[in-house]
Amino acid sequence: MPRPKRCRRICGYPDYWSFCPEGVNLPETIAFTLDEYETVRLIDYLKMTQEECATQMGVSRATVTSIYENARYKIADAMVNGKRIRITGGTYRIDEIPASADINEKGEN
């Protein structure tokens, strides 16, 4: 039995939920999870390292690397093949408190 996924901490919902290429009538849709969005936002937009991103999201650096690789592949696939990206789902929890704050968490995520 596989180990259950740990909830990834994200700071908020995106302002835009989908991106679509111009000139394509019914493009194929790629599902982009909220944790993938958060990883790309932290690493590429906010210029954090993968270690800083992992701390912010409450997961290991190896998990961030895996999420980031999947996200980059999906972005490249959408750009090269003219597919729509729809941000939806994932294993996450919304958290407005910075990861560096001293938080005592109890129980399961």
Side-chain angles (χ1 to χ4, degrees):
M1 173 184 260
R3 198 167 85 183
K5 281 187 175 182
R6 184 172 179 186
C7 286
R8 285 82 190 248
R9 183 184 305 142
I10 65 171
C11 291
Y13 291 117
D15 292 332
Y16 306 98
W17 290 90
S18 98
F19 300 88
C20 189
E22 291 183 13
V24 181
N25 290 336
L26 296 172
E28 185 179 333
T29 300
I30 295 175
F32 203 74
T33 63
L34 279 162
D35 51 343
E36 289 170 332
Y37 165 80
E38 183 72 355
T39 303
V40 170
R41 185 184 76 81
L42 294 174
I43 294 173
D44 291 335
Y45 185 70
L46 295 179
K47 305 286 187 201
M48 287 186 177
T49 64
Q50 288 185 2
E51 189 66 40
E52 292 168 335
C53 178
T55 302
Q56 178 78 19
M57 293 179 70
V59 295
S60 72
R61 190 199 52 77
T63 299
V64 165
T65 301
S66 175
I67 294 169
Y68 187 57
E69 262 185 42
N70 290 336
R72 288 182 62 189
Y73 176 78
K74 289 178 180 181
I75 292 169
D77 185 25
M79 289 179 68
V80 171
N81 297 312
K83 296 179 181 178
R84 176 183 181 201
I85 296 175
R86 174 119 174 104
I87 301 171
T88 182
T91 306
Y92 67 93
R93 65 186 167 120
I94 301 292
D95 191 3
E96 295 295 331
I97 302 168
S100 61
D102 187 21
I103 302 170
N104 295 322
E105 297 180 12
K106 294 183 179 180
E108 299 295 321
N109 286 330

